[in-house]
Amino acid sequence: MAKTLVILDPSGIPPPMEKVRPAARPALLEGVRLGLLDNTKPNSDKLLRRLEERLSGKYPIASFTHYRKGGSALPLEEDLIDRMSAECDFVVNAVPD
Amino acid sequence: MKLASTRHEVAESPLELLEYVMERGWGDGLPVIPPTEERVAAMVEASGRPPEESRGRIPHLFGDATIEKIAVNAAMAGCEPEYMPVLVTAVDAIFDPIYNLPGVQGTTNCIAQLIVVHGPARGALGINCRENLFGQGWRANATIGRAFRFILQNIGGAKPGDTDRSTFGHQGKFSSCIGENEEASPWPPLHVERGLERSDSAVTVIAVDPHIMVNDAASTDGEGVLQSIASSMMQAGSNNALFGGEMVVVLGPEHVDMLVRDGWDPPRIRAFLYERGRVPTFLFAPANLERARGRRDDLMAQEDLQSVPVVDDVDSICLFVAGGLGKHSLVIPTFGNTHSVTRKMDFSFTD
């Protein structure tokens, strides 16, 4: 066999994976408080407005609340996460371009 | 010294080593130096830190940037052990939230992560600050910049074409490391402007778009030169026009000579460029102007908006001197959603 040498692995070790159970989904849309999160990418506001129009004609949703991130390339603000958790049963996030 | 990384037995042949590295997604396409235990240990030792010490977790994959992993990547890139403090400091700097590392690592934009070295470390390590400093030919510049990209790719997990989905990439993703040409102006260098001592060595990291070269060999006064630079900052399609943030202006020494002669200094230069570099609103595509208004509420509330500043504020023009002879300067737009970070190297160098 040709001569060999031993090298060290340059890859980073990711943190141990933690199993996270997804939040419970409402079985019915009736009476739910729906959040609509705009990530600031162009047209995400239009997509969410259209979604609201279509859902509101079809289901007895209790409320629609619109939210907007500071910027698509920025992390979602902690206080916005807290507000959405308090004010919504579930949230739809639009990520178009 | 106890090193924890997984060992791989590879053929000694440079070609087979390159193939092995490329198959595992560790490389950049160019030949690498084998990161042997002996070489990595020398790197760790030169850092003055223990191998297991973590400097933070780098997105996307949040791999642990230990001194040892920084050293393995530095060895593979061809660094000399004494370059380690530059890399460790640059890694520390990118964790500052104003840098927005998750955005920079994850974007479709064309971003290189530029290291600028200040202070005595430049001379001690042989970091080029003059002719062709962004180009080839200097081992310290080439291998420090290359090692930094390996760190972002291999520890952070930003793999080109996979988890790094930049639309076009950037030539500077092979390597981007320069020194500030502190000797070419009477002004305080960038790290001193930012509160450090001239005798300190420091690193600034900046998430940059491709460069725009400013060619002005005709102006015979400083104001003319600044007008040419300002008009090169005026790009309606740039991230800076859309999002503000910070923009870099690298003044070439011959332009600096004229500016100094005419009594300009960095605060006045920034103020001039901030005003004259604004993008007139008629240059924007209407939908893009609407987007900029939506993202920059504080600036865009004005009904009769005539022009858009390309940075958040006057101090967000990152101004320094670099390069060699020639009547040129550089404008370097950035990711926009980012600010540069300067950190002192916790290490003393003798120039």
Side-chain angles (χ1 to χ4, degrees):
Chain A
M1 187 179 168
K3 283 172 81 177
T4 62
L5 46 80
V6 174
I7 61 169
L8 273 61
D9 191 306
S11 308
I13 311 294
M17 296 292 272
E18 193 187 331
K19 272 196 177 167
V20 179
R21 187 182 289 277
R25 267 57 176 162
L28 295 169
L29 288 174
E30 188 173 349
V32 302
R33 299 167 303 158
L34 175 57
L36 299 166
L37 175 62
D38 170 358
N39 85 332
T40 78
K41 283 268 188 181
N43 299 316
S44 58
D45 53 343
K46 295 188 185 90
L47 179 65
L48 291 170
R49 280 202 302 274
R50 183 82 182 115
L51 183 69
E52 178 178 352
E53 279 167 26
R54 293 191 61 170
L55 288 177
S56 60
K58 219 168 167 181
Y59 301 101
I61 289 170
S63 62
F64 293 92
T65 312
H66 288 261
Y67 302 93
R68 190 172 155 83
K69 273 182 77 174
S72 55
L74 302 171
L76 186 57
E77 298 86 342
E78 290 287 336
D79 60 335
L80 188 51
I81 296 173
D82 292 342
R83 268 180 56 211
M84 290 192 298
S85 305
E87 295 169 1
C88 306
D89 297 307
F90 76 96
V91 175
V92 176
N93 182 199
V95 191
D97 236 336
Chain B
M1 184 183 297
K2 193 168 178 296
L3 298 172
S5 297
T6 303
R7 269 52 170 188
H8 301 266
E9 190 175 1
V10 299
E12 212 179 59
S13 136
L15 275 176
E16 286 182 52
L17 173 65
L18 177 60
E19 280 168 23
Y20 191 89
V21 162
M22 292 308 297
E23 277 168 15
R24 282 155 187 78
W26 299 338
D28 59 5
L30 300 173
V32 299
I33 300 298
T36 59
E37 182 148 358
E38 186 187 9
R39 191 75 188 150
V40 172
M43 297 274 165
V44 171
E45 197 167 330
S47 77
R49 310 300 310 172
E52 67 280 8
E53 182 176 277
S54 171
R55 311 302 288 201
R57 289 192 173 275
I58 302 178
H60 306 304
L61 298 184
F62 296 94
D64 197 1
T66 59
I67 294 292
E68 176 178 333
K69 287 298 179 186
I70 295 171
V72 176
N73 284 283
M76 202 168 77
C79 287
E80 285 288 12
E82 60 261 34
Y83 304 164
M84 276 293 284
V86 177
L87 287 166
V88 174
T89 312
V91 167
D92 289 347
I94 58 177
F95 292 120
D96 189 316
I98 66 167
Y99 189 73
N100 187 18
L101 183 60
V104 170
Q105 285 275 79
T107 183
T108 51
N109 283 257
C110 315
I111 306 296
Q113 303 197 43
L114 170 66
I115 296 176
V116 186
V117 182
H118 318 277
R122 297 164 306 137
L125 303 180
I127 294 169
N128 183 22
C129 323
R130 300 183 180 85
E131 281 79 4
N132 208 50
L133 76 169
F134 284 93
Q136 82 289 12
W138 278 263
R139 180 172 173 190
N141 299 53
T143 61
I144 292 170
R146 189 185 192 204
F148 196 41
R149 173 49 54 187
F150 282 166
I151 289 165
L152 296 163
Q153 173 179 301
N154 296 330
I155 304 180
K159 303 281 183 180
D162 181 8
T163 41
D164 174 354
R165 301 303 289 258
S166 174
T167 305
F168 298 114
H170 187 307
Q171 298 96 319
K173 289 174 88 166
F174 279 102
S175 177
S176 284
C177 175
I178 61 167
E180 179 175 4
N181 191 345
E182 295 171 24
E183 292 70 25
S185 93
W187 304 325
L190 185 65
H191 69 300
V192 175
E193 274 199 303
R194 293 182 170 185
L196 300 176
E197 300 294 328
R198 201 177 255 276
S199 56
D200 292 334
S201 289
V203 163
T204 299
V205 288
I206 319 174
V208 295
D209 278 349
H211 306 171
I212 299 164
M213 202 202 68
V214 181
N215 184 348
D216 188 342
S219 291
T220 53
D221 63 357
E223 182 167 340
V225 166
L226 292 180
Q227 182 55 47
S228 292
I229 294 172
S231 57
S232 303
M233 296 166 72
M234 207 184 279
Q235 307 283 326
S238 69
N239 281 314
N240 288 107
L242 287 173
F243 309 123
E246 185 167 343
M247 190 180 272
V248 182
V249 173
V250 184
L251 296 170
E254 288 200 39
H255 282 166
V256 170
D257 287 347
M258 260 193 283
L259 290 163
V260 170
R261 183 200 65 200
D262 292 354
W264 292 88
D265 59 21
R268 277 189 66 214
I269 292 170
R270 284 194 186 91
F272 182 98
L273 295 177
Y274 180 80
E275 285 306 323
R276 298 288 184 96
R278 296 167 73 107
V279 186
T281 49
F282 70 81
L283 287 176
F284 282 85
N288 236 17
L289 181 60
E290 192 189 329
R291 185 180 187 201
R293 279 179 184 275
R295 281 295 303 273
R296 302 179 60 180
D297 300 334
D298 49 335
L299 295 167
M300 305 300 162
Q302 309 157 50
E303 292 257 320
D304 61 340
L305 186 72
Q306 298 294 313
S307 62
V308 175
V310 291
V311 288
D312 284 344
D313 51 47
V314 72
D315 291 326
S316 295
I317 297 172
C318 177
L319 186 78
F320 59 89
V321 179
L325 295 178
K327 292 272 196 317
H328 305 296
S329 289
L330 286 180
V331 166
I332 314 183
T334 70
F335 182 44
N337 296 287
T338 187
H339 282 270
S340 66
V341 179
T342 300
R343 285 273 187 279
K344 181 181 166 180
M345 278 192 240
D346 186 18
F347 212 88
S348 71
F349 291 92
T350 313
D351 195 350

